[in-house]
Amino acid sequence: VSNAGVGMAGPLECQSLAAMQSLMDTNFFGLVRLVKEVLPDMKRRRGGHIVVISSIMGLQGIVFNDIYAASKFAVEGFCESLVVQALRFNVAISLVEPGPVTTEFEAKLYEEAERADYSRTDPETADIFTNIYLRNSKDVFASLGQTPEDIAEHTLRVIEAAKPPFRHQTNAAYTPMAALKHADPSGALLTAAFYQLLFRHSSVLRLGLR
């Protein structure tokens, strides 16, 4: 089970390349290093199961989570490319894709975001992040957040499955978002929906979540 991960949220201009590279080293290359270690023996034994804790943000980017989403997209692409070869050797690969999970990980991330220096971005972007995104995120976690124990139960079910799924989403509330993306290959539908929710109907979104 590959579960190591770090987060990053905020305006792109306010994040250093060194911090981005460090995040990719943990979230993506950490997984790659693990798979390189375990896969050869699994292939020799013609049996094994690699379970990767991904994220719904590996399927859909979320505003102000540019680098974190990129790392999870990399995880998804890596596993999707590898799964067919692995199946030839009777090795299963499963991606567990949670939405928001209420842990100290997220609490620390948002505490740091509230204290951060946003002088390297323009005032409008800083205002959108601090007064719209952070407020909405807290409501999302309060209403849709799962517990770590819930994610562990989902992961256990994937491990114990007779035919392990390649993808397993833990939060049904995010199924429509994934469906919207596939419904319109141009991306216009989902982009417009997110824009309307964030900039036109933010108060309605928060009220609905509450």
Side-chain angles (χ1 to χ4, degrees), residues 109-166:
L109 186 65
Y110 288 110
E111 284 173 11
E112 290 174 353
E114 288 176 339
R115 296 194 306 267
D117 175 16
Y118 299 113
S119 60
R120 283 175 289 175
T121 190
D122 58 278
E124 185 176 359
T125 299
D127 180 67
I128 293 167
F129 178 66
T130 55
N131 293 320
I132 298 179
Y133 172 81
L134 287 179
R135 287 173 64 195
N136 285 346
S137 291
K138 289 175 181 176
D139 288 335
V140 166
F141 272 87
S143 60
L144 300 178
Q146 294 176 274
T147 66
E149 290 78 14
D150 193 16
I151 304 303
E153 289 294 333
H154 277 272
T155 305
L156 181 62
R157 289 201 291 273
V158 168
I159 291 170
E160 292 181 334
K163 291 185 177 180
F166 175 56

Side-chain angles (χ1 to χ4, degrees), residues 15 38-39 57 67 77 82 113 117 126 168 187 203:
Q15 296 160 359
V38 302
L39 185 60
M57 276 194 263
I67 306 305
L82 195 60
D117 175 16
H168 176 81
S203 59

